[in-house]
Amino acid sequence: QSALTQPASVSGSPGQSITISCTGTNRDVGGFNYVSWYQQHPGKAPKLMIYEVSNRPSGVSNRFSGSKSGNTASLTISGLQAEDEADYYCTSYTNSGIHWVFGGGTKLTVL
Amino acid sequence: EVQLVESGGGLVQPGGSLRLSCAASGFSFSGFWMAWVRQAPGKGLEWVANIKEDGSQKYYVDSVRGRFTISRDNAKNSLYLQMNSLRVEDTAVYYCATHSEYKFEYWGQGTLVTVSS
């Protein structure tokens, strides 16, 4: 069982917006602004999409945005495109001894 | 261009050992924390270990502490993971990644470790 909870799957049509949630506790997501999000296409390495809750690395489309409320972080993808179809993982620093925890991952399907 | 290239994976029997390497280029390796992250077949990502820029601090997930050792050689721009007493559940693709400023920014392509009799 992953320390952070993500929905197993989400889907949306091209042009629509979707949001993926990442729920933890006050010892990880709720306690620190060190949530990041990663995109992983099949057979490829993960790619950093969002860091420190809402910051986008250089080169990442502004269609990707992040936010946090309490113990839940969210990744929103607007204007869905076919190439957004991938697995998405959240991670957070934790003071529970593990140091870094990942969510179980969410498979995004673009219909 | 940042490049991280892992090597050293393969098939090993339970109880055996392997040493993974990660060759870094295109950035100032000695200025970055580094990490190993693994992904079991068909499963999600799991942080395994990380190491401070000068190697003075190291942290491990509970399931590998005492069996795995992370190390680095800044003169060779290389990161290592010595894995002993391997278990079937250690089977995974192992990625090295930069880990400074609370994010896993750059990733290698991974190396597959299979623990099986």
Side-chain angles (χ1 to χ4, degrees):
Chain A
Q1 188 172 2
S2 301
L4 303 180
T5 301
Q6 297 181 232
S9 63
V10 298
S11 62
S13 300
Q16 288 186 332
S17 295
I18 62 93
T19 296
I20 299 172
S21 61
C22 171
T23 301
T25 70
N26 58 9
R27 303 196 69 175
D28 38 66
V29 174
F32 307 92
N33 288 324
Y34 298 137
V35 176
S36 51
W37 290 89
Y38 301 83
Q39 176 191 65
Q40 187 180 35
H41 288 108
K44 300 295 187 182
K47 175 186 177 183
L48 176 66
M49 305 302 286
I50 295 288
Y51 66 97
E52 291 178 7
V53 176
S54 59
N55 294 311
R56 263 190 320 276
S58 174
V60 171
S61 170
N62 60 9
R63 298 185 298 104
F64 291 82
S65 62
S67 62
K68 190 183 83 167
S69 177
N71 295 335
T72 298
S74 298
L75 173 71
T76 297
I77 309 173
S78 59
L80 269 180
Q81 300 180 0
E83 58 261 36
D84 298 333
E85 185 162 294
D87 294 325
Y88 291 84
Y89 295 90
C90 62
T91 188
S92 172
Y93 176 78
T94 173
N95 66 4
S96 68
I98 303 176
H99 295 285
W100 292 93
V101 288
F102 280 90
T106 298
K107 180 176 180 60
L108 169 61
T109 301
V110 180
L111 302 170
Chain B
E1 179 193 4
V2 172
Q3 280 203 320
L4 296 169
V5 180
E6 302 93 338
S7 61
L11 175 64
V12 62
Q13 292 188 336
S17 298
L18 274 179
R19 187 195 195 208
L20 305 184
S21 299
C22 172
S25 61
F27 67 104
S28 180
F29 179 75
S30 61
F32 281 73
W33 280 72
M34 296 295 296
W36 289 98
V37 177
R38 67 184 179 183
Q39 186 170 35
K43 302 298 184 181
L45 300 170
E46 180 184 38
W47 168 75
V48 174
N50 60 359
I51 184 170
K52 193 177 179 181
E53 295 97 332
D54 62 359
S56 62
Q57 294 180 37
K58 305 174 184 182
Y59 301 96
Y60 301 90
V61 69
D62 284 349
S63 59
V64 309
R65 190 175 295 115
R67 300 188 298 122
F68 290 11
T69 301
I70 188 171
S71 63
R72 63 191 298 161
D73 185 336
N74 287 343
K76 295 183 177 180
N77 288 341
S78 292
L79 176 72
Y80 306 101
L81 186 67
Q82 177 66 45
M83 303 186 296
N84 298 331
S85 302
L86 282 160
R87 305 168 179 168
V88 171
E89 55 265 34
D90 295 319
T91 294
V93 173
Y94 284 74
Y95 295 100
C96 73
T98 62
H99 195 210
S100 283
E101 298 178 353
Y102 304 101
K103 58 187 183 288
F104 302 93
E105 185 166 12
Y106 301 107
W107 297 67
Q109 286 305 302
T111 187
L112 176 62
V113 172
T114 302
V115 185
S116 174
S117 55

